[in-house]
Amino acid sequence: MAETRGRIAVVGGGPGGAHCARRLAESGCEVTLFEPRASYEKACGGGIPIRGLDHFPFLDDPRLPGKAVRGCLVISPSGREAEFPLFDPLYVFSRADLHAFLLDRALAAGVRVARTRVLSFRKEPAAGGWTLRTAGPDGAGGREDARGPFGFLVAADGAAGGCRRRLLGAPAREEVSQGIGYY
């Protein structure tokens, strides 16, 4: 049986998955990041408060275009408006730009990016870890492909992702919250 403890599969290449994969690779792990999209735009997920930039200073990179929002306008259903300055700015990035930037950082750290969708996974102790079934080699041709084994599986495919649901089950009602907003 091959040594798999240092081999890690990260499913989902959004901000959390790409950053996690990079950090693991920097610590010496062999990481494969499964992300079918090279770039995509998303209505939410590009706003980062100043505390986020303090914690992740690499986001203040000139190759990542963004905008500092310094004020807020709230309009009620009746049409009344309230405008106020933000004490700390909110930085907004295109999700497509942020996604591509973080994937590039992961690649530069030695992460292997498999541009394919994970269809399912299972833990196979006899094989030495986790085996993933994907949509074929880098998404080609509609075939299925087995990947692994991996010593660890990181489910970073989002709050509604299939990996998270399969590993943890449905969240309890008291653990669920929802936020609504837009810029």
Side-chain angles (χ1 to χ4, degrees), residues 3-167:
E3 175 61 42
T4 60
R5 290 182 351 146
R7 294 189 67 216
I8 301 172
V10 177
V11 180
H19 187 66
C20 175
R22 177 185 168 91
R23 294 289 305 267
L24 289 166
E26 289 173 339
S27 70
C29 296
E30 181 186 332
V31 181
T32 302
L33 175 65
F34 292 88
E35 173 57 60
R37 301 168 292 199
S39 177
Y40 69 101
E41 197 57 68
K42 185 176 174 183
C44 64
I48 299 174
I50 190 70
R51 294 176 310 281
L53 262 64
D54 290 344
H55 192 69
F56 301 107
F58 60 83
L59 292 173
D60 192 22
D61 186 307
R63 293 171 295 173
L64 180 62
K67 180 176 181 170
V69 177
R70 300 185 186 284
C72 185
L73 172 64
V74 177
I75 304 171
S76 75
S78 67
R80 294 181 60 195
E81 297 182 1
E83 187 172 358
F84 54 92
L86 296 176
F87 182 71
D88 291 319
L90 175 69
Y91 292 88
V92 178
F93 302 98
S94 155
R95 183 60 183 262
D97 291 343
L98 181 61
H99 183 76
F101 177 77
L102 293 173
L103 284 178
D104 286 347
R105 283 178 48 85
L107 282 165
V111 172
R112 178 178 179 274
V113 176
R115 299 220 184 267
T116 185
R117 190 168 54 95
V118 172
L119 302 173
S120 66
F121 56 87
R122 70 175 176 243
K123 190 163 189 173
E124 295 186 35
W130 295 90
T131 301
L132 285 67
R133 190 171 54 91
T134 67
D138 293 329
R143 297 183 12 240
E144 293 181 9
D145 188 32
R147 307 280 182 115
F150 296 95
F152 295 92
L153 173 68
V154 176
D157 58 341
C163 288
R164 188 208 62 78
R165 278 193 315 272
R166 182 151 176 233
L167 288 170

